Amino acid sequence: MYRVSSKHPNATKEAISTTKIRDNNVRITRSKAKALGVSMSPSKPAFKQEPKRVARPSNKRMASDVTAYKHKRRAVLKDVTNTLAERAEGDIKACKHGQKETKQISEDGLVDVDAEKSKLAEDLSKIRMVESLDASAPKQKEDGSDVADYLQIVDIDSNVQDPQFCSLYAASIYDRSHVAELEQRPSTSYMVQVQRDIDPNMRGILIDWLVEVSEEYKLTSDSLYLTVNLIDRFMSHNYIEKQRLQLLGVTCMLIASKYEEICAPRLEEFCFITDNTYTRLEVLSMEIQVLNFLHFRLSVPTTKTFLRRFIHAAQASDKVPLIEMEFLANYFAELTLTEYTFLRFLPSLIAASAVFLARWTLDQSNHPWNPTLQHYTRYKTSALKNTVLAMEDLQLNTSGSTLIAIRTKYNQQKFKRVATLTSPERVTTLFSR
């Protein structure tokens, strides 16, 4: 039995416990150690043991690394932002400087900015034209005539000053127009197949009267052409009594006016022009009937649609365009409106023939057709023969027609009295050469 000193009880207990553990090799638990009042800290081993190093970053180090990363990321983003901002600021300053410089140069009269833009647009137009010619050019003959002809074609879409010409889209627009004129054509035989109460002569009288109405209300030529188109398309599939023929005419002109005119005449004015033969309700009822049958498809290419472009092509090489040629071509085209037989010709063919005959009437020394006209109209001289000959008969009034509204219209001084012009030589001789 061990004696415990009262002076140092803890030290004695620890010594006894330690001695007992070493001598007897007794396993001691934490509860026993607590009861004995000794410490469980192990004694140092005889050999030096290297502690295992575990890659456990301390919280303090991790926080410092994250903070440094954030600062670094901010610095990088800040540098990029500053760089972009500096570049943008430099570009803006350069742009402003360039604008001031350009403005100063143009004010001094050295450089015309608008002229430079026009030149650039013209160059682009020439590139587009060359590409279209390459795509549509025929095979070259042995003598190289086709290549020579295409080199003589004048680009009529290089003028970008007038936005109404739609220079950048003109070629695509007229490509679509050539397709559309085939899709919505009136029947060429509806007088025989559909109508029984009217004849071509009555149709001609109606249109001759509508020409006078268009002059009375100062309507555009587009309204007149569209009116005739609507009449023919409706009568191609709908039977009309002769008592209602005039009603159909004024109703189609009312629809065309609403579509083409800026300030169309009121419905009451069209009733008045018929001497109140038809009431307001009758005109409205006919308007509903026509529009429902046509499914409101009023955007159709007429002869006037093609005539503008073909006249432009005809005057492309002229230093001073002849206004008489434009009036004369319009006169020939309008003469065909009263003739039922001209429905067999496409509007583009009628427009090309009108230009052909107008050029021949004004100048017999040169051939009226050239590579530029052939390119833009898509008709060769041989394709125009029948239409031109029939149109010349209308010009000379070989049939003795009494319809004089169009002749009276173009006999006015504002149209240079082109209705009185005739060629001393028949155009038949031109096709027989």
Side-chain angles (χ1 to χ4, degrees):
M1 187 172 181
Y2 295 98
R3 297 179 63 184
V4 181
S5 175
S6 59
K7 292 182 179 179
H8 300 286
N10 295 333
T12 305
K13 289 180 181 180
E14 184 176 355
I16 294 172
S17 176
T18 306
T19 304
K20 186 177 180 180
I21 292 170
R22 290 177 180 175
D23 295 342
N24 300 326
N25 196 17
V26 179
R27 184 171 179 269
I28 185 167
T29 63
R30 289 183 182 275
S31 58
K32 289 182 180 182
K34 186 176 182 181
L36 293 174
V38 298
S39 175
M40 285 293 295
S41 57
S43 59
K44 295 182 179 179
F47 61 91
K48 188 176 181 180
Q49 185 178 2
E50 291 292 335
K52 295 182 179 180
R53 294 181 180 180
V54 182
R56 294 180 180 176
S58 62
N59 294 335
K60 189 177 294 184
R61 182 179 179 184
M62 184 182 294
S64 62
D65 292 343
V66 172
T67 305
Y69 175 73
K70 287 183 178 179
H71 285 302
K72 184 176 182 182
R73 184 176 61 178
R74 282 188 191 141
V76 172
L77 293 177
K78 185 177 180 182
D79 293 342
V80 174
T81 306
N82 291 340
T83 303
L84 294 176
E86 291 175 0
R87 290 180 182 178
E89 185 178 359
D91 293 340
I92 292 173
K93 289 181 179 180
C95 182
K96 290 182 177 179
H97 179 69
Q99 290 178 353
K100 290 181 180 179
E101 188 175 297
T102 305
K103 183 177 181 182
Q104 183 66 31
I105 293 174
S106 62
E107 288 177 354
D108 295 340
L110 297 178
V111 176
D112 190 352
V113 180
D114 293 335
E116 292 295 328
K117 291 181 179 179
S118 300
K119 184 178 179 181
L120 178 59
E122 184 176 354
D123 293 339
L124 292 175
S125 178
K126 289 180 179 179
I127 293 173
R128 287 169 58 89
M129 182 181 178
V130 169
E131 291 176 352
S132 64
L133 290 181
D134 291 340
S136 61
K139 295 182 180 179
Q140 181 180 359
K141 295 181 181 179
E142 294 181 357
D143 58 355
S145 58
D146 288 333
V147 175
D149 289 343
Y150 273 92
L151 291 176
Q152 297 174 11
I153 296 175
V154 180
D155 184 10
I156 66 174
D157 295 323
S158 60
N159 181 17
V160 295
Q161 298 298 327
D162 190 350
Q164 292 184 351
F165 280 104
C166 301
S167 301
L168 297 177
Y169 314 103
S172 299
I173 290 172
Y174 281 94
D175 285 344
R176 174 56 188 160
S177 297
H178 280 281
V179 175
E181 69 174 342
L182 297 171
E183 295 175 346
Q184 302 184 35
R185 291 187 66 186
S187 173
T188 60
S189 58
Y190 69 81
M191 283 292 181
V192 178
Q193 297 179 352
V194 180
Q195 305 302 327
R196 300 183 301 273
D197 203 23
I198 60 176
D199 55 25
N201 186 43
M202 295 175 65
R203 173 190 175 276
I205 294 173
L206 171 66
I207 296 174
D208 190 71
W209 175 73
L210 290 174
V211 172
E212 295 179 352
V213 175
S214 66
E215 284 292 291
E216 179 69 22
Y217 292 136
K218 295 180 173 57
L219 303 181
T220 62
S221 298
D222 298 86
S223 298
L224 179 61
Y225 281 98
L226 182 56
T227 299
V228 177
N229 178 271
L230 297 178
I231 292 172
D232 289 327
R233 286 166 60 194
F234 185 79
M235 290 200 300
S236 295
H237 302 278
N238 296 273
Y239 171 74
I240 292 291
E241 301 86 355
K242 62 180 179 182
Q243 292 83 5
R244 293 168 54 86
L245 182 60
Q246 190 179 17
L247 174 61
L248 175 64
V250 295
T251 302
C252 289
M253 181 160 279
L254 172 64
I255 296 172
S257 300
K258 289 180 179 180
Y259 185 82
E260 295 287 356
E261 302 293 332
I262 298 176
C263 297
R266 295 181 296 110
L267 186 148
E268 289 77 11
E269 295 184 68
F270 286 104
C271 295
F272 173 78
I273 205 70
T274 62
D275 198 17
N276 293 318
T277 304
Y278 307 103
T279 63
R280 185 175 184 274
L281 292 178
E282 288 179 315
V283 176
L284 287 175
S285 177
M286 179 59 75
E287 181 183 15
I288 294 172
Q289 187 178 351
V290 172
L291 290 175
N292 286 335
F293 171 75
L294 298 176
H295 301 287
F296 289 82
R297 295 176 181 173
L298 306 179
S299 299
V300 293
T302 63
T303 301
K304 186 66 176 180
T305 305
F306 297 99
L307 196 57
R308 287 193 179 92
R309 184 165 179 82
F310 297 169
I311 290 175
H312 189 198
Q315 297 176 338
S317 302
D318 298 339
K319 295 182 180 179
V320 180
L322 289 176
I323 192 66
E324 289 85 357
M325 198 280 291
E326 180 177 352
F327 290 151
L328 197 56
N330 280 281
Y331 168 60
F332 292 150
E334 287 189 24
L335 282 177
T336 64
L337 291 176
T338 59
E339 298 298 321
Y340 170 75
T341 55
F342 272 81
L343 289 178
R344 70 182 189 272
F345 300 121
L346 289 172
S348 59
L349 181 59
I350 295 175
S353 301
V355 173
F356 186 100
L357 186 59
R359 288 171 61 87
W360 172 253
T361 302
L362 294 174
D363 184 14
Q364 295 83 38
S365 61
N366 296 319
H367 197 282
W369 219 234
N370 55 44
T372 301
L373 281 168
Q374 180 175 328
H375 172 72
Y376 287 104
T377 63
R378 305 183 182 185
Y379 291 110
K380 296 182 178 180
T381 304
S382 57
L384 303 176
K385 180 179 179 180
N386 295 331
T387 315
V388 171
L389 294 179
M391 194 174 290
E392 188 184 37
D393 290 337
L394 292 180
Q395 177 191 15
L396 301 176
N397 196 17
T398 55
S399 62
S401 175
T402 58
L403 305 177
I404 61 172
I406 298 174
R407 301 180 189 276
T408 304
K409 173 183 176 181
Y410 283 93
N411 201 21
Q412 301 177 61
Q413 188 59 40
K414 66 177 182 179
F415 293 113
K416 302 295 183 181
R417 300 175 60 89
V418 294
T420 60
L421 298 178
T422 56
S423 172
E425 185 179 358
R426 292 292 298 267
V427 74
T428 311
T429 59
L430 187 63
F431 291 102
S432 60
R433 292 176 183 175

